[in-house]
Amino acid sequence: TMSNNTQVPEAPQAAPPHALWPQALVGAGVLLTGAALAYGAIGISSQAGYSGVGPNFLPWLVSVVLMLCGAWILWEVRTGGFRQMEESAGPAQGYWTGFVWVSAGLLLNAALITTLGFILSCTLCYVLAVQGLRRAAGQAAANRPVTWMWDIVTGVLISAPVYWMFTKFLAINLPGLTGSGWI
């Protein structure tokens, strides 16, 4: 006789109740962030530029997507939470050094954008943020000069087209280096 040894996969178990409230807070936070961005987008002009797309298009798109993601997270929480999530072995600990690198990148970008210009300040933001993420991932190559150079080149290759797209395609003025524009 033949026996059937196939096993039916178990249905995902609901997250434990103590894990649901942080998930609900994340969902509510994402939903409220999207709503705050939508409130801010109300004040941005919708007058279309060269392309027919106005400066308020991207803020509205981001706010709607964030609100959808927040609502989806809250729906997941109400239907059992993140069921595929593994239970952590110990208390959650952040990687503070990476947080400092990323925060420094964002704060320096905001502080220096009118001095350095959009491209250089965004490149600096990218380099510092990616260095923080490399360190959080434990990449040994984070301190190598060639890694820093590739990060700088990548930052310029990302920020220069963004500058061009915002200034030419969306007709939004961004700060340049003492009026020089591209830098």
Side-chain angles (χ1 to χ4, degrees), residues 85-171:
M85 204 167 135
E86 291 183 23
E87 192 71 28
S88 64
Q93 293 185 7
Y95 184 75
W96 291 103
T97 305
F99 174 76
V100 169
W101 277 89
V102 172
S103 297
L106 291 170
L107 293 172
L108 285 172
N109 184 20
L112 297 174
I113 195 164
T114 57
T115 304
L116 295 178
F118 181 86
I119 294 174
L120 293 180
S121 66
C122 287
T123 298
L124 176 64
C125 178
Y126 175 82
V127 169
L128 294 177
V130 80
Q131 281 295 315
L133 296 173
R134 287 184 195 285
R135 286 160 176 27
Q139 292 183 3
N143 286 327
R144 291 181 32 214
V146 69
T147 303
W148 280 84
M149 289 308 300
W150 275 113
D151 291 345
I152 291 168
V153 168
T154 304
V156 170
L157 291 175
I158 292 170
S159 60
V162 169
Y163 178 85
W164 179 82
M165 190 162 47
F166 271 83
T167 57
K168 302 299 180 194
F169 183 66
L170 296 175

Side-chain angles (χ1 to χ4, degrees), residues 29-127:
V30 172
L31 187 65
L32 289 174
T33 301
L37 286 174
Y39 179 75
I42 292 171
I44 299 174
S45 170
S46 63
Q47 185 174 0
Y50 167 76
S51 64
V53 176
N56 69 349
F57 171 76
L58 194 57
W60 277 110
L61 178 67
V62 170
S63 64
V64 167
V65 169
L66 277 175
M67 288 189 289
L68 286 172
C69 288
W72 190 357
I73 292 170
L74 289 173
W75 178 79
E76 283 288 335
V77 170
R78 292 198 35 90
T79 60
F82 304 132
R83 293 169 284 285
Q84 305 300 331
M85 204 167 135
E86 291 183 23
E87 192 71 28
S88 64
Q93 293 185 7
Y95 184 75
W96 291 103
T97 305
F99 174 76
V100 169
W101 277 89
V102 172
S103 297
L106 291 170
L107 293 172
L108 285 172
N109 184 20
L112 297 174
I113 195 164
T114 57
T115 304
L116 295 178
F118 181 86
I119 294 174
L120 293 180
S121 66
C122 287
T123 298
L124 176 64
C125 178
Y126 175 82
V127 169

